[in-house]
Amino acid sequence: MGLKLVAAKVCVICVCLGVGWNALLSVSPIDPLPVDLPPPPERVGVLSYNKKLHSALKLAFGQVSGPEDLAVDSEGRIYTACADGWVKRISFASNDSYSSLQVEKWAYVGGRPLGIAFGLHGELLVCEASRGLLNVTQEKVELLSEEADGLPYRLADGVDVGKDGVVYFTDASYKYGLDIHALDIIEGRPRGRLLKYDPATNTTSVLLKELYFANGVALSPKQDFLVYCETSMFRCRKFWLEGPNRGNTESFIDRLPGFPDNIRYDGQGIFWIALPTSWSLLGRTMVRYPYLRHVIVAMAAMAPGVIDATLVKESSVVAVNENGETVALFSYPGITSITAGLRIGEFLYYGGIDLEYIGRLDLEDKI
Ligand SMILES: *[C@@H]1O[C@H](CO)[C@@H](O)[C@H](O)[C@H]1NC(C)=O
Ligand SMILES: *[C@@H]1O[C@H](CO)[C@@H](O)[C@H](O)[C@H]1NC(C)=O
Ligand SMILES: *[C@@H]1O[C@H](CO)[C@@H](O)[C@H](O)[C@H]1NC(C)=O
């Protein structure tokens, strides 16, 4: 739906129904804050528009529903958290024969598992959106953390594990759950947190609060800092774990060409950040004017498709080096759902919250 058409519909609905400010507020549950977003980056050089992911293979088609995040074990098998509550495991007999690929139901978590990362003992640490941080093995599912400082998580989202076994994870919002997470992003208030779970003491501490939709998290190769993504601000930031800046944050990458979701370090100098979508012109305009946000949210209550008009149909995975410089961008125009990019050897795998497969691109000499 084009911007003009949406604008026309907004006017028609407002005028015809005589929707006043108070009526609008009763339909729109948000409490919007004007957000001063930096301008989007120019799409030149490494950020040029492309369709590099169109040539990726689609693996396990129909056997994985909404593979939101990906993790790999020491034997090269890929794990993914699906919309049906299962963690599925994909094994390859060889990299050249897809007929030999096997998809197994590895462990049932229930709910909606999102971020996943391996712990030190073969267990998978899983962020289940509504419950919190889970320790998952084939034998059991154990709840490790469901709240911090007395505030329960509403949207446990991204996770990574340090070499010392400490678990870093995020809660994107303490107000809105996964089904209405778009409202958190539209509202523009910082309700996310970066959290640390220490298995030695079975305690969770808040490292940072008031984050803008805290999403993916990844430790640096030296484990001296971690990078966390703030989806609604189009940026990922560094949080120092060691050294003179310990406990401080600083910029890692700003003005990403889309909303950052999961982030993964590949052991070869590159952080891979998935960008499911971005604001369309309508979306950006809406963010600037709280009144327009109320109108869009009220309309979306009647026609959920309205939110789609605020988004751009282009998903990407961006490769960023340890200095926060973009080195490559792999895009898939036409979809809005790539939420994870994981490099294993010479392959870039991707998954997405609404996808029915896992993509695999042979990087060859592309990076
Ligand atoms: C998860 O559970 C397994 C098996 O009980 C245990 O070995 C491991 O230490 C646990 N991991 C965490 C992070 O609590
Ligand atoms: C860890 O703490 C949680 C509550 O914060 C509790 O439910 C759980 O039983 C504890 N686990 C262990 C292994 O002590
Ligand atoms: C497939 O390729 C990856 C990385 O290129 C390698 O680590 C893995 O062992 C290969 N798997 C098989 C079954 O050959």
Side-chain angles (χ1 to χ4, degrees):
M1 191 161 25
L3 177 61
K4 278 187 183 155
L5 190 54
V6 173
K9 281 197 174 183
V10 171
C11 294
V12 168
I13 289 181
C14 291
V15 174
C16 293
L17 300 180
V19 175
W21 180 240
N22 289 331
L24 195 63
L25 289 184
S26 71
V27 186
S28 161
I30 60 167
D31 176 18
L33 192 71
V35 178
D36 199 12
L37 278 184
E42 260 192 273
R43 299 295 295 272
V44 296
V46 285
L47 291 183
S48 295
Y49 289 102
N50 67 75
K51 317 178 207 183
K52 289 176 189 167
L53 291 182
H54 278 184
S55 61
L57 287 167
K58 293 177 178 168
L59 305 178
F61 205 103
Q63 298 181 78
V64 286
S65 58
E68 204 267 349
D69 193 13
L70 307 172
V72 62
D73 72 11
S74 54
E75 291 171 47
R77 295 174 294 195
I78 295 177
Y79 295 68
T80 186
C82 296
D84 56 10
W86 279 92
V87 173
K88 297 211 172 156
R89 177 165 77 184
I90 301 163
S91 321
F92 307 86
S94 90
N95 280 319
D96 307 318
S97 166
Y98 315 109
S99 52
S100 65
L101 173 152
Q102 201 193 343
V103 182
E104 296 163 273
K105 289 177 165 178
W106 185 72
Y108 184 70
V109 171
R112 186 28 163 138
L114 298 173
I116 57 173
F118 276 101
L120 304 188
H121 311 284
E123 79 276 29
L124 208 53
L125 283 308
V126 176
C127 283
E128 195 276 303
S130 62
R131 273 177 292 169
L133 182 68
L134 308 175
N135 180 353
V136 178
T137 62
Q138 283 190 295
E139 286 73 46
K140 62 152 182 43
V141 173
E142 180 191 10
L143 179 64
L144 297 178
S145 180
E146 56 186 334
E147 53 93 17
D149 289 353
L151 195 56
Y153 316 133
R154 276 289 174 84
L155 218 181
D157 203 340
V159 60
D160 201 6
V161 181
K163 291 188 178 122
D164 54 2
V166 171
V167 184
Y168 299 92
F169 66 108
T170 56
D171 179 37
S173 173
Y174 61 78
K175 182 174 177 192
Y176 297 104
L178 184 63
D179 52 336
I180 49 171
H181 74 281
L183 294 182
D184 192 275
I185 294 174
I186 293 173
E187 188 168 80
R189 286 188 188 269
R191 303 189 198 268
R193 290 183 289 172
L194 175 66
L195 304 143
K196 170 181 163 175
Y197 172 79
D198 187 345
T201 56
N202 188 31
T203 53
T204 305
S205 45
V206 178
L207 297 179
L208 295 170
K209 55 187 181 181
E210 297 189 0
L211 302 180
Y212 292 89
F213 207 89
N215 203 323
V217 42
L219 283 147
S220 69
K222 286 190 214 136
Q223 315 255 306
D224 51 348
F225 66 87
L226 61 75
V227 179
Y228 62 93
C229 298
E230 288 189 285
T231 301
S232 52
M233 291 304 267
F234 295 89
R235 71 184 181 202
C236 299
R237 291 178 65 79
K238 264 184 191 182
F239 176 78
W240 286 99
L241 298 166
E242 299 293 341
N245 290 322
R246 193 175 166 199
N248 292 341
T249 60
E250 66 182 53
S251 163
F252 179 66
I253 185 165
D254 292 318
R255 294 179 67 198
L256 282 159
F259 293 117
D261 202 298
N262 284 306
I263 176 169
R264 289 285 164 231
Y265 183 72
D266 67 1
Q268 300 177 66
I270 304 290
F271 289 91
W272 296 82
I273 308 170
L275 312 171
T277 176
S278 188
W279 288 131
S280 64
L281 185 55
L282 175 66
R284 280 199 163 262
T285 310
M286 165 182 83
V287 171
R288 211 167 307 138
Y289 304 105
Y291 178 77
L292 187 54
R293 280 188 268 168
H294 277 302
V295 173
I296 300 272
V297 168
M299 283 171 66
M302 295 173 265
V306 170
I307 298 289
D308 293 346
T310 65
L311 303 173
V312 168
K313 277 202 158 46
E314 182 199 39
S315 269
S316 304
V317 181
V318 65
V320 178
N321 68 19
E322 289 169 40
N323 301 320
E325 294 150 357
T326 303
V327 295
L329 179 74
F330 300 89
S331 298
Y332 197 126
I335 61 174
T336 58
S337 58
I338 295 178
T339 48
L342 177 71
R343 181 199 201 164
I344 307 172
E346 289 315 300
F347 298 113
L348 170 64
Y349 291 87
Y350 68 86
I353 195 156
D354 290 329
L355 297 179
E356 293 296 314
Y357 63 89
I358 286 170
R360 185 175 93 177
L361 183 73
D362 194 338
L363 290 169
E364 292 164 6
D365 52 1
K366 294 191 185 79
I367 181 159

